Amino acid sequence: MENIRNIAVIAHVDHGKTTIVDELLKQSGTFNEHQAVGERVMDSNDIERERGITILSKNTAIKYKGTKINIIDTPGHADFGGEVERVLKMVDGVLLLVDAQEGVMPQTKFVVKKALSLGLRPIVVVNKIDKPAGDPDKVVNEIFDLFVALDASDEQLEFPVIYAAGKNGYAKYHLDDENVDMQPLFETIISHVPAPSGKDENSLQLQVFTLDYDNYVGKIGIARIFNGKISKNQNVTLAKADGTKTNGRISKLIGFIGLDRMDINEAGTGDIVAIAGFEALDVGDSIVDPNNPIPLDPLHIEEPTLSVVFSVNDGPLAGTEGKHVTSNKIDERLRNEMKTNIAMKYENVGEGKFKVSGRGELQITILAENMRREGYEFLLGRPEVIVKEINGVKCEPFELLVIDAPDDCTGTVIEKLGRRKAEMTSMNPTGDGQTRLEFEIPARGLIGFRSQFLTDTRGEGVMNHSFLEFRPLSGSVEHRSNGALVSMENGVTLAYSLWNLQDRGVLFVDPQAKVYIGMIIGEHSRPNDLDVNPIKGKNLTNVRASGSDDAIKLVPPRKLSLERALEWIEEDELVEVTPTNIRVRKRYLDPTQRRRKAKENG
């Protein structure tokens, strides 16, 4: 049996997980001398690279002194909590990374709680110790307090601590040691993480924890072998979560080393491999020996808390910018997404509308952003929370919201959140002119709050939230206080007319942008909607007079990203997403029809 260690790297967003994994890959000699290796090699997706966040959990393997270490890099964002939870079931230890300056953050708590409840013993890595404002000792005490608060066992409380600066490529046991390389971290992983339990001689037990898709071989399950051996072309039984069993054959067996995948003929207990051969494969399914089937416990997957309706673009500019515009194309693309993304659900509601549910706005906007880049064109409605009935009571999801804001802004933040039904649970000054506030808030109250929050804190505030639980519905939540500037003409905007309109509010469009009746071109400075004409030119005469021609000075428009647009819109508005533009429009373009609907809903 091969000497194996299985470990997951967990941390809050931007605490350096992917950078640490990079260094482990480089320093273990996994890459050949001639291989050119980029930065953050584990972030393979364009959006991951642009935003600097990990979205999909990915695995890699390194060889160090005769031991194979399987490492799984997990997302740090709460919207992808479902990914992290499954991964923790597949490993025997975790590397908990914490930023030496920021300390313990809400997502860290969320993931650590899951890891401790599974009995995993963490190795704590205090990363970014080269930051001038870092305080590693304070952070270690914070982590200890957190573990105690989460009911960690005595063994879990005796965690080893490694101090590291992933970017500079060194780790050390004590702060005053020399900065050399990552060896202390390798040694700690090998000595502290238990070897996989289970034996090669036992009957086969393998569990799938994430899915991939290949056009040639179909569904691929990435799985861990808990017992026994598996080989290519072996006859096996697939045991589903609902108890049904199917016999089949392993058509492809793939092993991992570094960033490469290679076909292998067999693998033993404790290893992480990819298998193909079953079209009905799902996350949490077990592959077992047909002669002695002992399935493993199915995995629990967190429920979605938010849904958004995707629909076919029916605006005047439909089909002029996108390649895939029909409902069949959108349906097919969403169905393919659901094959590998199990934290999301979708249903075809009819009339070219598809309801997609996920764990948060970020998860859904990233799917929309990927589709936009692939040439799709569609409309998105306002995100809505999923209401569940528990024991006859209607319940909605609540989130734990943690905010770091400058001391002089806390009053405004607390007041705004109070209107959104948030309850403050703690308030601690962090010492550097910042205060950390914790709230429990209905997920509805968070929709549309981020852009308001950034304005109130002058861009210095940081907010993070993670799912808490379902609780009984809490009254109505305050919505956007400003109306919209709605175009009453079809055509192309002119600088002259925009210049006249900019006193009315904040514009979203540049001169020479295409607009149509019912499209929103800006935010009104008052609470009501206002119909405006953005394409009106200047009346020209053949008389020249000095003094009557003012210089046109335009304020740069506020460019809406996909997230900001989704947060900004109200019930009667939609976001039009095309490969080249993101526009906001009214659900009913015709002004008369809009007024009639407003009266009906009165």
PDB file of all heavy atoms in Angstrom, residues 236-257:
ATOM      1  N   VAL A 236     -18.151  -3.272 -11.290  1.00  0.00           N
ATOM      2  CA  VAL A 236     -18.473  -2.717  -9.969  1.00  0.00           C
ATOM      3  C   VAL A 236     -19.973  -2.427  -9.891  1.00  0.00           C
ATOM      4  O   VAL A 236     -20.687  -2.514 -10.890  1.00  0.00           O
ATOM      5  CB  VAL A 236     -17.702  -1.391  -9.715  1.00  0.00           C
ATOM      6  CG1 VAL A 236     -16.228  -1.637  -9.528  1.00  0.00           C
ATOM      7  CG2 VAL A 236     -17.950  -0.387 -10.832  1.00  0.00           C
ATOM      8  N   THR A 237     -20.428  -2.043  -8.697  1.00  0.00           N
ATOM      9  CA  THR A 237     -21.835  -1.667  -8.500  1.00  0.00           C
ATOM     10  C   THR A 237     -21.884  -0.219  -8.042  1.00  0.00           C
ATOM     11  O   THR A 237     -21.120   0.171  -7.157  1.00  0.00           O
ATOM     12  CB  THR A 237     -22.480  -2.576  -7.431  1.00  0.00           C
ATOM     13  OG1 THR A 237     -22.411  -3.923  -7.902  1.00  0.00           O
ATOM     14  CG2 THR A 237     -23.925  -2.194  -7.180  1.00  0.00           C
ATOM     15  N   LEU A 238     -22.785   0.544  -8.664  1.00  0.00           N
ATOM     16  CA  LEU A 238     -22.976   1.938  -8.256  1.00  0.00           C
ATOM     17  C   LEU A 238     -24.160   1.969  -7.285  1.00  0.00           C
ATOM     18  O   LEU A 238     -25.263   1.575  -7.641  1.00  0.00           O
ATOM     19  CB  LEU A 238     -23.278   2.790  -9.503  1.00  0.00           C
ATOM     20  CG  LEU A 238     -23.800   4.208  -9.255  1.00  0.00           C
ATOM     21  CD1 LEU A 238     -22.718   5.077  -8.637  1.00  0.00           C
ATOM     22  CD2 LEU A 238     -24.283   4.859 -10.546  1.00  0.00           C
ATOM     23  N   ALA A 239     -23.901   2.436  -6.035  1.00  0.00           N
ATOM     24  CA  ALA A 239     -24.979   2.522  -5.042  1.00  0.00           C
ATOM     25  C   ALA A 239     -25.369   3.993  -4.890  1.00  0.00           C
ATOM     26  O   ALA A 239     -24.562   4.816  -4.468  1.00  0.00           O
ATOM     27  CB  ALA A 239     -24.505   1.952  -3.714  1.00  0.00           C
ATOM     28  N   LYS A 240     -26.619   4.315  -5.270  1.00  0.00           N
ATOM     29  CA  LYS A 240     -27.075   5.707  -5.214  1.00  0.00           C
ATOM     30  C   LYS A 240     -27.535   6.053  -3.790  1.00  0.00           C
ATOM     31  O   LYS A 240     -27.778   5.180  -2.976  1.00  0.00           O
ATOM     32  CB  LYS A 240     -28.264   5.922  -6.165  1.00  0.00           C
ATOM     33  CG  LYS A 240     -28.041   5.497  -7.589  1.00  0.00           C
ATOM     34  CD  LYS A 240     -27.347   6.528  -8.416  1.00  0.00           C
ATOM     35  CE  LYS A 240     -28.137   7.799  -8.580  1.00  0.00           C
ATOM     36  NZ  LYS A 240     -27.301   8.852  -9.189  1.00  0.00           N
ATOM     37  N   ALA A 241     -27.712   7.353  -3.545  1.00  0.00           N
ATOM     38  CA  ALA A 241     -28.136   7.816  -2.213  1.00  0.00           C
ATOM     39  C   ALA A 241     -29.520   7.282  -1.850  1.00  0.00           C
ATOM     40  O   ALA A 241     -29.828   7.053  -0.684  1.00  0.00           O
ATOM     41  CB  ALA A 241     -28.119   9.335  -2.181  1.00  0.00           C
ATOM     42  N   ASP A 242     -30.393   7.085  -2.878  1.00  0.00           N
ATOM     43  CA  ASP A 242     -31.761   6.626  -2.572  1.00  0.00           C
ATOM     44  C   ASP A 242     -31.860   5.107  -2.422  1.00  0.00           C
ATOM     45  O   ASP A 242     -32.954   4.546  -2.320  1.00  0.00           O
ATOM     46  CB  ASP A 242     -32.731   7.127  -3.647  1.00  0.00           C
ATOM     47  CG  ASP A 242     -32.333   6.647  -5.046  1.00  0.00           C
ATOM     48  OD1 ASP A 242     -31.407   5.819  -5.132  1.00  0.00           O
ATOM     49  OD2 ASP A 242     -32.949   7.106  -6.031  1.00  0.00           O
ATOM     50  N   GLY A 243     -30.693   4.429  -2.465  1.00  0.00           N
ATOM     51  CA  GLY A 243     -30.700   2.980  -2.233  1.00  0.00           C
ATOM     52  C   GLY A 243     -30.703   2.136  -3.496  1.00  0.00           C
ATOM     53  O   GLY A 243     -30.525   0.913  -3.429  1.00  0.00           O
ATOM     54  N   THR A 244     -30.914   2.733  -4.698  1.00  0.00           N
ATOM     55  CA  THR A 244     -30.914   1.926  -5.927  1.00  0.00           C
ATOM     56  C   THR A 244     -29.488   1.526  -6.295  1.00  0.00           C
ATOM     57  O   THR A 244     -28.536   2.252  -6.019  1.00  0.00           O
ATOM     58  CB  THR A 244     -31.541   2.704  -7.105  1.00  0.00           C
ATOM     59  OG1 THR A 244     -30.839   3.948  -7.214  1.00  0.00           O
ATOM     60  CG2 THR A 244     -32.994   3.002  -6.873  1.00  0.00           C
ATOM     61  N   LYS A 245     -29.364   0.365  -6.920  1.00  0.00           N
ATOM     62  CA  LYS A 245     -28.020  -0.120  -7.292  1.00  0.00           C
ATOM     63  C   LYS A 245     -27.981  -0.444  -8.793  1.00  0.00           C
ATOM     64  O   LYS A 245     -28.949  -0.956  -9.341  1.00  0.00           O
ATOM     65  CB  LYS A 245     -27.655  -1.383  -6.503  1.00  0.00           C
ATOM     66  CG  LYS A 245     -27.504  -1.142  -4.994  1.00  0.00           C
ATOM     67  CD  LYS A 245     -26.936  -2.378  -4.318  1.00  0.00           C
ATOM     68  CE  LYS A 245     -26.565  -2.104  -2.876  1.00  0.00           C
ATOM     69  NZ  LYS A 245     -27.700  -1.952  -1.992  1.00  0.00           N
ATOM     70  N   THR A 246     -26.859  -0.129  -9.443  1.00  0.00           N
ATOM     71  CA  THR A 246     -26.696  -0.428 -10.875  1.00  0.00           C
ATOM     72  C   THR A 246     -25.337  -1.081 -11.058  1.00  0.00           C
ATOM     73  O   THR A 246     -24.349  -0.603 -10.496  1.00  0.00           O
ATOM     74  CB  THR A 246     -26.665   0.887 -11.707  1.00  0.00           C
ATOM     75  OG1 THR A 246     -27.503   1.841 -11.099  1.00  0.00           O
ATOM     76  CG2 THR A 246     -27.033   0.656 -13.141  1.00  0.00           C
ATOM     77  N   ASN A 247     -25.292  -2.131 -11.859  1.00  0.00           N
ATOM     78  CA  ASN A 247     -23.987  -2.745 -12.146  1.00  0.00           C
ATOM     79  C   ASN A 247     -23.374  -2.107 -13.379  1.00  0.00           C
ATOM     80  O   ASN A 247     -24.084  -1.679 -14.286  1.00  0.00           O
ATOM     81  CB  ASN A 247     -24.140  -4.253 -12.365  1.00  0.00           C
ATOM     82  CG  ASN A 247     -24.473  -4.957 -11.054  1.00  0.00           C
ATOM     83  OD1 ASN A 247     -24.144  -4.434  -9.985  1.00  0.00           O
ATOM     84  ND2 ASN A 247     -25.109  -6.099 -11.132  1.00  0.00           N
ATOM     85  N   GLY A 248     -22.060  -2.042 -13.429  1.00  0.00           N
ATOM     86  CA  GLY A 248     -21.393  -1.440 -14.579  1.00  0.00           C
ATOM     87  C   GLY A 248     -19.904  -1.722 -14.533  1.00  0.00           C
ATOM     88  O   GLY A 248     -19.426  -2.543 -13.739  1.00  0.00           O
ATOM     89  N   ARG A 249     -19.168  -1.020 -15.396  1.00  0.00           N
ATOM     90  CA  ARG A 249     -17.737  -1.282 -15.522  1.00  0.00           C
ATOM     91  C   ARG A 249     -16.996   0.046 -15.515  1.00  0.00           C
ATOM     92  O   ARG A 249     -17.498   1.046 -16.036  1.00  0.00           O
ATOM     93  CB  ARG A 249     -17.509  -2.002 -16.860  1.00  0.00           C
ATOM     94  CG  ARG A 249     -16.143  -2.611 -17.062  1.00  0.00           C
ATOM     95  CD  ARG A 249     -16.180  -3.493 -18.304  1.00  0.00           C
ATOM     96  NE  ARG A 249     -16.539  -2.714 -19.495  1.00  0.00           N
ATOM     97  CZ  ARG A 249     -15.654  -2.025 -20.218  1.00  0.00           C
ATOM     98  NH1 ARG A 249     -14.379  -2.024 -19.898  1.00  0.00           N
ATOM     99  NH2 ARG A 249     -16.048  -1.357 -21.286  1.00  0.00           N
ATOM    100  N   ILE A 250     -15.819   0.074 -14.898  1.00  0.00           N
ATOM    101  CA  ILE A 250     -15.006   1.296 -14.878  1.00  0.00           C
ATOM    102  C   ILE A 250     -14.322   1.416 -16.250  1.00  0.00           C
ATOM    103  O   ILE A 250     -13.433   0.622 -16.576  1.00  0.00           O
ATOM    104  CB  ILE A 250     -13.921   1.214 -13.768  1.00  0.00           C
ATOM    105  CG1 ILE A 250     -14.562   1.033 -12.395  1.00  0.00           C
ATOM    106  CG2 ILE A 250     -13.005   2.438 -13.801  1.00  0.00           C
ATOM    107  CD1 ILE A 250     -15.233   2.240 -11.817  1.00  0.00           C
ATOM    108  N   SER A 251     -14.777   2.374 -17.080  1.00  0.00           N
ATOM    109  CA  SER A 251     -14.214   2.455 -18.439  1.00  0.00           C
ATOM    110  C   SER A 251     -12.911   3.245 -18.456  1.00  0.00           C
ATOM    111  O   SER A 251     -12.111   3.116 -19.361  1.00  0.00           O
ATOM    112  CB  SER A 251     -15.236   3.096 -19.384  1.00  0.00           C
ATOM    113  OG  SER A 251     -15.500   4.409 -18.942  1.00  0.00           O
ATOM    114  N   LYS A 252     -12.729   4.114 -17.453  1.00  0.00           N
ATOM    115  CA  LYS A 252     -11.521   4.943 -17.432  1.00  0.00           C
ATOM    116  C   LYS A 252     -11.162   5.215 -15.979  1.00  0.00           C
ATOM    117  O   LYS A 252     -12.025   5.513 -15.160  1.00  0.00           O
ATOM    118  CB  LYS A 252     -11.819   6.267 -18.160  1.00  0.00           C
ATOM    119  CG  LYS A 252     -10.610   6.941 -18.767  1.00  0.00           C
ATOM    120  CD  LYS A 252     -11.101   8.111 -19.620  1.00  0.00           C
ATOM    121  CE  LYS A 252      -9.967   8.918 -20.210  1.00  0.00           C
ATOM    122  NZ  LYS A 252      -9.100   8.212 -21.125  1.00  0.00           N
ATOM    123  N   LEU A 253      -9.873   5.098 -15.682  1.00  0.00           N
ATOM    124  CA  LEU A 253      -9.385   5.375 -14.317  1.00  0.00           C
ATOM    125  C   LEU A 253      -8.254   6.389 -14.450  1.00  0.00           C
ATOM    126  O   LEU A 253      -7.307   6.174 -15.212  1.00  0.00           O
ATOM    127  CB  LEU A 253      -8.892   4.071 -13.678  1.00  0.00           C
ATOM    128  CG  LEU A 253      -8.471   4.127 -12.216  1.00  0.00           C
ATOM    129  CD1 LEU A 253      -9.641   4.492 -11.334  1.00  0.00           C
ATOM    130  CD2 LEU A 253      -7.909   2.777 -11.759  1.00  0.00           C
ATOM    131  N   ILE A 254      -8.397   7.495 -13.755  1.00  0.00           N
ATOM    132  CA  ILE A 254      -7.434   8.591 -13.945  1.00  0.00           C
ATOM    133  C   ILE A 254      -6.790   8.938 -12.609  1.00  0.00           C
ATOM    134  O   ILE A 254      -7.475   9.052 -11.586  1.00  0.00           O
ATOM    135  CB  ILE A 254      -8.159   9.846 -14.508  1.00  0.00           C
ATOM    136  CG1 ILE A 254      -8.879   9.489 -15.812  1.00  0.00           C
ATOM    137  CG2 ILE A 254      -7.193  11.004 -14.734  1.00  0.00           C
ATOM    138  CD1 ILE A 254      -9.917  10.502 -16.262  1.00  0.00           C
ATOM    139  N   GLY A 255      -5.465   9.100 -12.626  1.00  0.00           N
ATOM    140  CA  GLY A 255      -4.745   9.494 -11.409  1.00  0.00           C
ATOM    141  C   GLY A 255      -4.254  10.931 -11.545  1.00  0.00           C
ATOM    142  O   GLY A 255      -4.207  11.491 -12.640  1.00  0.00           O
ATOM    143  N   PHE A 256      -3.904  11.546 -10.412  1.00  0.00           N
ATOM    144  CA  PHE A 256      -3.447  12.946 -10.421  1.00  0.00           C
ATOM    145  C   PHE A 256      -2.005  13.013  -9.940  1.00  0.00           C
ATOM    146  O   PHE A 256      -1.635  12.346  -8.986  1.00  0.00           O
ATOM    147  CB  PHE A 256      -4.295  13.787  -9.457  1.00  0.00           C
ATOM    148  CG  PHE A 256      -5.753  13.814  -9.810  1.00  0.00           C
ATOM    149  CD1 PHE A 256      -6.644  12.887  -9.299  1.00  0.00           C
ATOM    150  CD2 PHE A 256      -6.243  14.786 -10.671  1.00  0.00           C
ATOM    151  CE1 PHE A 256      -7.982  12.918  -9.624  1.00  0.00           C
ATOM    152  CE2 PHE A 256      -7.586  14.829 -11.006  1.00  0.00           C
ATOM    153  CZ  PHE A 256      -8.457  13.894 -10.486  1.00  0.00           C
ATOM    154  N   ILE A 257      -1.225  13.849 -10.598  1.00  0.00           N
ATOM    155  CA  ILE A 257       0.084  14.215 -10.051  1.00  0.00           C
ATOM    156  C   ILE A 257       0.386  15.623 -10.555  1.00  0.00           C
ATOM    157  O   ILE A 257       0.302  15.896 -11.749  1.00  0.00           O
ATOM    158  CB  ILE A 257       1.201  13.177 -10.403  1.00  0.00           C
ATOM    159  CG1 ILE A 257       2.466  13.456  -9.617  1.00  0.00           C
ATOM    160  CG2 ILE A 257       1.483  13.111 -11.877  1.00  0.00           C
ATOM    161  CD1 ILE A 257       2.421  12.956  -8.203  1.00  0.00           C
TER     162      ILE A 257
END
